[in-house]
Each structure stands twice: as structure tokens, then as C-alpha cells.
Amino acid sequence: TTHGLADHGYAKEYKDFALPMVRYFASVRRNHTPQPIAALSLKFESEEIIVLPDDVLLRPDGKRTFRRVKTGHERSDDAESVDAAALILAAQQAFPDAIVELIYLSDEKAAVVSMTAKKLEYRREKLNQFLKEIRLGQFPANPSSRTCPNCPAFFICGTTPDGKLQRKF
């Protein structure tokens, strides 16, 4: 109500989507102690990246869990991504026994993410190469008709069709 969302035409539908996700998120935090979210540093040759987890919890057994929380659905390559590797590397550098998880609120799924030492080393090399290329100004655009760069929106917008848009009642 304070931010005007209660007056939105799809307020009921958004609430129907949001409530189960919020309930699931609360359920996967149960029996854990929330920790302050702090930036984790991951150093390379002459570069450093900052990795910021979405959620940090202390488990009953004393281990820290670092989570990436996504509102959408699981994608087949999420657990193998460079992003996941960066979170694993940074979390384990700070806390060697750390657990890394990906949480998918729409799927109501929590997945522990791990990679072999060889795979982590390959991802580390890939990250280092990315940083070198960025430093050299070599990062060509990768346009997509499916997503906008860094869009935090819940829905993925497609390309806008030609012509006038009309709402059907």
C-alpha cells in the first residue's frame, strides 16, 4: 500500500505468486542462524572481484551456508556456471568448510552446488581470462532478444512486437 502496489491491476496475481515463494524462502532458513551478508573477496593475479551472496546462514552443525537466491526456475547450466564457481571459490576461501546452495523460489528447490577441484580450477582460469579481457577493453556486446542486461525483474520480457498494443478485456 505504501508503495502503490496494492492498487496495481495485477496485485492479486502478484501476491498469489509471491506468497508461496516467501513461505518457501522462510522454510529453507528454518533451524539456521542468519548471518550478516558480507562481500567476499576473490583474488587473481593482479585483479580482485567481490562476490556478494544473497543469503548467509549458520547451520546447526556450525558450518556456514552461502546462498544465491533466484525467484525463477532452475536452469540446467546454473550449477556449472562461472558465477556459481566464483561463489564456491570465494566462500571456501573465507570458510574452507562452507556450503554453497542455489535456491529456486519458483521451483521450491534448494540445491547444494559443488565442483571437482579440476573443474573449479578451470573456472578460476576462465574468470582470470575474463578479467584480463575486460582490463584490455575486450568485452564485445552479447545482445539478446530474450533478456535485458542485468534485469532484476521477475518476468523476462520478449521483444516488443511492431504496431500498437491493445489490452483485451
Side-chain angles (χ1 to χ4, degrees):
T1 300
T2 302
H3 297 284
L5 295 174
D7 299 328
H8 190 282
Y10 291 106
K12 180 192 175 315
E13 288 79 4
Y14 288 148
K15 188 175 181 179
D16 290 345
F17 283 133
L19 284 176
M21 287 192 271
V22 171
R23 286 186 186 112
Y24 176 71
F25 182 67
S27 77
V28 295
R29 297 182 93 224
R30 204 170 289 128
N31 300 324
H32 293 72
T33 305
Q35 300 296 295
I37 296 174
L40 302 169
S41 171
L42 189 55
K43 295 183 190 260
F44 293 88
E45 294 166 12
S46 61
E47 305 292 342
E48 175 183 23
I49 61 172
I50 303 300
V51 178
L52 191 62
D54 297 321
D55 197 21
V56 181
L57 302 170
L58 190 61
R59 294 167 31 132
D61 63 7
K63 291 183 181 178
R64 290 194 192 292
T65 301
F66 293 84
R67 291 178 167 170
R68 181 81 65 227
V69 180
K70 299 178 182 236
T71 56
H73 298 286
E74 180 180 18
R75 295 174 58 176
S76 61
D77 60 348
D78 283 346
E80 299 292 319
S81 70
V82 174
D83 177 54
L87 183 57
I88 293 169
L89 289 165
Q92 290 180 349
Q93 181 176 290
F95 299 94
D97 63 346
I99 295 165
V100 174
E101 293 180 338
L102 296 177
I103 306 296
Y104 299 95
L105 300 179
S106 292
D107 294 334
E108 295 189 358
K109 181 177 181 184
V112 173
V113 181
S114 63
M115 294 182 191
T116 64
K118 184 176 181 177
K119 198 173 276 190
L120 275 174
E121 186 54 34
Y122 174 73
R123 297 296 190 283
R124 176 184 278 281
E125 290 170 12
K126 198 171 184 179
L127 276 166
N128 193 30
Q129 186 61 36
F130 289 163
L131 292 171
K132 286 178 183 177
E133 290 170 1
I134 290 169
R135 181 67 64 198
L136 293 171
Q138 300 172 349
F139 44 96
N142 187 10
S144 169
S145 63
R146 285 182 6 108
T147 61
C148 300
N150 300 318
C151 180
F154 178 73
F155 297 100
I156 296 176
C157 302
T159 56
T160 305
D162 293 333
K164 186 176 179 181
L165 297 176
Q166 293 184 343
R167 185 173 173 189
K168 290 185 178 182
F169 293 97

